Amino acid sequence: MRTEGELRALVSLLADEQEGVARAAWDELLGAGQAAVPFLEAAFDDPDPRLRGRVRALLEELRLEALELQWRRLAQKDDDALDLEEGCILLAALGGTVGRERAVASFLDAVAGSVRAHMPAVGGLRAMGEVLFENLRFRAGEMGNPEHHFLPSVLERRRGIPIALAAVYILVGRRVGLPVYGVAMPDHFLAMYAEADRPAYVDCFNQGQVYRYETLSRILSRRGVVAPERVLSPCSTRVILYRMLGNLERLYTGVGQSRMVGRVQRWREILVVKGRP
């Protein structure tokens, strides 16, 4: 383990004009992990632009390494113990939105309170639709907009891609004890409200449009899906997070962020259990 004096010296060497020396210092500090963070933060606003730039880049790398460790811990849990909200928060942090856990939880709690207040009069399914899509006006977002992928910004802007809006639906519904799940369609993502007699499939990307099993089964059959009943079954939290990462991989590929593509691919691999999500 490096001493405090050694860590301070290594930070100063990040500005060395000899690239090999600076690279070696970078590697040593990266290997020191979180122990190096206070010394890097002390140089965050250093007047030397070379040092300042490398310090900030290394702090971001260490942040992502620590975040990946949290992701590994989450992925090691059994499917029943995987927390969708925690996973969405970690994905948002991967995209650069940090420190929003309490704000997200407070917002979802408040929305759940509104749903709970509506339920005695209209029932759970209708209460969810009225609150989320009529009152709060959650609407379809753009696949190419990062803010429409990540839960904190989806809640703030009320715009999201299908799976992000479905995640909002699920997280709110579960807060009030409703039987809500995700449904991983081949090229779309729905929420399911598992009513006792027949499930309702909610297209959160289409202002909460409700479909019944028979309708979706016919659509899938016409598209050549062999076993629509499997596609229309609830999927696990692991599958939801895996699909979210797939969307992020396509997003970062489209904008040429190869390092983020590599990190997202690694997160997908971490999430895989026994060869499948």
Side-chain angles (χ1 to χ4, degrees):
M1 181 179 292
R2 293 284 186 175
T3 66
E4 292 186 4
E6 288 173 331
L7 290 171
R8 288 193 185 91
L10 286 168
V11 171
S12 66
L13 287 175
L14 289 173
D16 198 282
E17 293 183 357
Q18 296 185 45
E19 190 60 34
V21 173
R23 183 73 250 181
W26 174 289
D27 291 341
E28 288 288 339
L29 289 165
L30 188 61
Q34 296 304 300
V37 169
F39 304 96
L40 289 163
E41 289 178 338
F44 190 83
D45 292 318
D46 194 273
D48 183 341
R50 182 197 300 267
L51 179 59
R52 186 170 64 246
R54 289 177 176 174
V55 160
R56 294 183 179 188
L58 184 49
L59 279 169
E60 176 63 7
E61 190 69 20
L62 286 167
R63 184 187 75 83
L64 292 173
E65 289 291 330
L67 201 59
E68 186 169 303
L69 180 59
Q70 291 179 261
W71 184 257
R72 287 184 182 277
R73 290 171 180 159
L74 177 69
Q76 288 170 358
K77 296 180 180 180
D78 293 336
D79 282 0
D80 291 343
L82 271 179
D83 187 281
L84 178 59
E85 190 169 334
E86 180 184 358
C88 288
I89 290 294
L90 289 175
L91 290 178
L94 177 64
T97 302
V98 298
R100 301 289 295 280
E101 296 91 337
R102 290 186 179 180
V104 165
S106 295
F107 185 95
L108 293 172
D109 288 345
V111 177
S114 296
V115 171
R116 191 178 291 109
H118 278 63
M119 283 174 57
V122 299
L125 178 62
R126 186 171 170 185
M128 289 285 288
E130 288 182 356
V131 171
L132 288 171
F133 306 111
E134 295 181 23
N135 299 351
L136 294 176
R137 299 183 62 80
F138 276 91
R139 294 292 186 267
E142 300 172 356
M143 291 296 296
N145 188 336
E147 293 183 336
H148 296 168
H149 287 251
F150 299 119
L151 181 61
S153 52
V154 169
L155 296 178
E156 181 179 338
R157 296 175 178 273
R158 318 286 170 83
R159 295 289 185 275
I161 65 172
I163 197 168
L165 293 174
V168 173
Y169 192 96
I170 293 166
L171 292 171
V172 170
R174 288 180 179 174
R175 274 170 160 75
V176 292
L178 297 177
V180 290
Y181 308 93
V183 176
M185 300 275 283
D187 54 0
H188 198 36
F189 200 94
L190 304 176
M192 174 199 282
Y193 186 102
E195 294 177 310
D197 50 349
R198 52 200 291 245
Y201 295 86
V202 182
D203 188 352
C204 301
F205 199 64
N206 189 24
Q207 301 180 38
Q209 175 70 45
V210 175
Y211 298 93
R212 293 297 177 177
Y213 176 88
E214 296 78 11
T215 301
L216 293 178
S217 181
R218 286 195 298 270
I219 292 172
L220 290 171
S221 295
R222 286 198 297 268
R223 293 181 180 178
V225 176
V226 177
E229 67 278 2
R230 292 183 59 187
V231 174
L232 295 174
S233 297
C235 67
S236 67
T237 296
R238 192 177 301 275
V239 167
I240 296 175
L241 295 174
Y242 192 83
R243 286 277 291 256
M244 287 178 168
L245 284 165
N247 290 329
L248 290 177
E249 183 178 348
R250 287 186 287 275
L251 172 70
Y252 290 127
T253 298
V255 295
Q257 294 190 29
S258 57
R259 292 189 68 184
M260 286 302 293
V261 170
R263 192 169 291 275
V264 166
Q265 289 173 339
R266 188 159 64 250
W267 279 39
R268 289 190 96 190
E269 293 170 0
I270 292 169
L271 198 59
V272 170
V273 174
K274 296 180 181 178
R276 63 180 61 187

